[in-house]
Amino acid sequence: MTFTFKKATIAIAASCSLLLSACGSGGEQQSGSEDKKVLNVGTEATFAPFEFMDKGEVSGFDVDLLNAAAEEAGYEVDIKNTGWDAMLAGLQSDQLDIGMSGVTITDERKETYDFSSPYFESVSMIVFKEGTNITKAEDLKGKKIGVQNGTTGQIAAEAIVGKNDSSISKYEAAALTFQALQSGDVEAVVTDIAVALEYVKNNPDAGVKTVSDEQFTPEYYGIVFSKGSELKAEFDEALNTLYENGTYTEIYKKWFDEEPNLDVLKE
Ligand code: LYS
């Protein structure tokens, strides 16, 4: 095992409020005797299995992977549940060093942020209440749809029903889209496949089903950095090491119970 879980660091992060300034986000903290620089990380922790709150701590695949990569690159990470919008704003204002939140690498985002090499392949998926007539993406037309605001789920839904379509409700957090589905405010949610499947698995009595569609195109998650950050090269190298030495595979199997396809991640 080449990585360790930094429980103390995460506990501090979890106790922080959304106010980044109250969380010691100067990036100058030193920790313990190792004297490693602490990187301030933002996330939106309602996105299981990538990041979610578990007994007051941010937990998930992304957390394990980022801890391992940081360890490899010689940093500590302080992961705060900032929420999606504050994470992106914090990166732009340099209050945060890293965003780790199942963030898809897109050309548009690359104009504002730098991304690591891809670390996870994803695609959109539809989650709907049993009894709703949805067997393919086209069936979203005329339905009330919930998406997380500003995500690729929104883009995927808009590609089917049209941009600015009033049938799309946009929520600030991934969890709110599922709440809206449960309360009947929306009839379908468009989100990332692993998150959709995890929701169904964790809510066996919710009466929800999923459907995928080839119209949804593959996308890749990357670690997000402020534009021009020197961390990108260091974390790309660290990720490569984790792919080569089996650590990535170990973390992947822990969360997804299957072997990863490393070939799709090699650029
Ligand atoms: N992968 C999607 C995107 O980047 C969803 C991320 C949402 C994280 N809570 O847009």
Side-chain angles (χ1 to χ4, degrees):
M1 204 65 156
T2 57
F3 66 95
T4 51
F5 222 85
K6 303 222 164 35
K7 280 215 160 29
T9 306
I10 294 167
I12 294 165
S15 68
C16 283
S17 71
L18 295 185
L19 297 167
L20 296 179
S21 55
C23 296
S25 53
E28 304 302 328
Q29 295 158 276
Q30 304 291 332
S31 161
S33 55
E34 293 175 352
D35 255 21
K36 289 181 183 169
K37 181 176 176 183
V38 179
L39 301 177
N40 294 297
V41 182
T43 191
E44 187 261 304
T46 76
F47 207 59
F50 297 100
E51 41 271 322
F52 55 98
M53 297 308 293
D54 183 20
K55 300 183 190 81
E57 296 186 358
V58 188
S59 178
F61 173 84
D62 279 354
V63 175
D64 285 359
L65 184 64
L66 189 66
N67 272 314
E71 169 103 7
E72 197 57 50
Y75 294 101
E76 298 268 342
V77 286
D78 180 5
I79 304 177
K80 304 173 182 81
N81 183 16
T82 56
W84 180 247
D85 291 342
M87 178 189 82
L88 296 175
L91 286 164
Q92 286 196 57
S93 63
D94 285 330
Q95 276 188 297
L96 294 174
D97 303 296
I98 287 178
M100 185 70 169
S101 205
V103 185
T104 300
I105 304 167
T106 68
D107 287 342
E108 195 187 342
R109 288 174 180 163
K110 274 157 85 174
E111 289 172 11
T112 313
Y113 313 97
D114 281 345
F115 283 89
S116 71
S117 56
Y119 71 82
F120 191 88
E121 186 184 42
S122 180
V123 68
S124 283
M125 186 174 238
I126 302 166
V127 189
F128 61 99
K129 272 279 188 75
E130 257 165 20
T132 313
N133 179 24
I134 298 179
T135 59
K136 55 187 183 308
E138 284 296 314
D139 294 333
L140 286 172
K141 287 179 176 159
K143 301 278 191 315
K144 286 187 280 176
I145 307 164
V147 297
Q148 187 179 359
N149 191 34
T151 62
T152 50
Q154 179 184 337
I155 294 168
E158 287 175 346
I160 306 294
V161 304
K163 225 177 151 122
N164 301 322
D165 191 294
S166 61
S167 66
I168 302 181
S169 301
K170 297 162 198 145
Y171 299 88
E172 291 309 314
L176 296 177
T177 64
F178 290 126
Q179 279 177 28
L181 185 65
Q182 280 313 320
S183 66
D185 286 347
V186 300
E187 297 168 278
V189 162
V190 183
T191 187
D192 296 13
I193 182 166
V195 174
L197 295 175
E198 183 77 7
Y199 178 74
V200 172
K201 190 176 90 187
N202 292 340
N203 297 277
D205 301 325
V208 290
K209 289 189 157 180
T210 58
V211 68
S212 42
D213 193 300
E214 283 177 4
Q215 282 201 48
F216 298 138
T217 47
E219 46 192 86
Y220 298 88
Y221 296 169
I223 306 169
V224 198
F225 306 100
S226 305
K227 197 77 188 155
S229 170
E230 63 196 18
L231 293 171
K232 175 187 158 44
E234 297 174 45
F235 275 76
D236 278 351
E237 196 184 326
L239 281 176
N240 267 332
T241 304
L242 302 181
Y243 296 148
E244 300 294 330
N245 70 11
T247 304
Y248 177 90
T249 297
E250 201 171 330
I251 296 170
Y252 191 99
K253 283 163 79 176
K254 170 182 166 189
W255 290 100
F256 300 104
D257 230 5
E258 60 181 26
E259 292 282 334
N261 179 357
L262 291 174
D263 291 338
V264 299
L265 301 178
K266 299 208 169 127
E267 277 186 321

